[in-house]
Amino acid sequence: MSVTESKVAAQPAPVAKGGLSQSVTDSLIVAKRNLIRMKRIPEMVIFGLIQPVMFVVLFSYVFGGSINVPGAGLDPGAYREFLMAGIFAQTVTFATAGAGAGIAEDMHRGLIDRFRSLPMARGAVLTGRTLADLVQTALTLVVLALVALLVGWRTHENALKVLAGFGLLLLLGYAFTWIGALIGLSVRTPEAATSGGLIWLFPLTFISIAFVPSQNMPTVLQHIAEWNPFSATVQAARELFGNVAPGYPVPDAWPMQHPAWASLIWSVLIIAVFRTLAVRKYKSASG
């Protein structure tokens, strides 16, 4: 090895300046990179829209007249209003699989190691990725809301409450992308990240009040559904959208009686726990 090569090899990796400003700037740069990538590959967004739109149409017209909503009976219109908050919540949480697969792909291609060679905040790579996924989720939610309006869904509260409902949905989706980030860092391939990101979401979303009232479930499942963070956000969105039927019996569980607070607490707690675990895993996995 020559003297010049020895000097280059001995140079330490660039060190980030640190601080909140550095972290925010780096996160926004990474988010911009991912948004540009989405723009160049529009099929990523298009395919992400197909499944939730299918759920809206199928549940509205196939199950709309056969599921009893307490306080509204078998009215298909009432079920559509009952249903939509659940479909919105399912859509934002299923973005978890895409987030995990994207991070796993970056790891597989060595892009994460390239980021580590730059003087940037360590958590910025993951924060930027999750922010970009949040933007994509918000766009999907807008399109989905338009489709829901076309099939008969309506809100019955003022604009501020409706926006607050969508805000809680997006916060839950953002919280779950951190779970996806941890999964993406823990597996070896994007395919495994996709499977790992979906397998636990199905019981979480279906053992909830998203599609059927908890009163129709066995007692044990009722308690699970009513304390499910997914259910809290669904119930909060229903109330903020004005989609709770006048005679609907709200369960006695605390998250169902105070769903907005329960949704906020659950989402913040999930972000705090899984962001910490994901950033720690990022440092060790690519170190």
Side-chain angles (χ1 to χ4, degrees), residues 161-255:
K161 285 190 175 182
V162 172
L163 290 175
F166 281 114
L168 288 176
L169 288 165
L170 288 174
L171 182 62
L172 179 72
Y174 182 68
F176 274 47
T177 57
W178 281 106
I179 301 178
L182 180 61
I183 292 172
L185 291 167
S186 303
V187 298
R188 297 182 180 180
T189 65
E191 294 79 9
T194 301
S195 299
L198 288 174
I199 194 170
W200 60 276
L201 280 173
F202 280 102
L204 183 80
T205 55
F206 283 96
I207 305 178
S208 72
I209 62 168
F211 307 114
V212 295
S214 61
Q215 291 89 341
N216 298 341
M217 301 178 186
T219 304
V220 174
L221 292 184
Q222 280 186 35
H223 294 307
I224 295 174
E226 291 164 5
W227 284 88
N228 184 340
F230 186 84
S231 293
T233 302
V234 170
Q235 182 64 18
R238 282 191 186 127
E239 292 186 0
L240 291 168
F241 294 157
N243 289 158
V244 179
Y248 181 80
V250 178
D252 293 331
W254 186 87

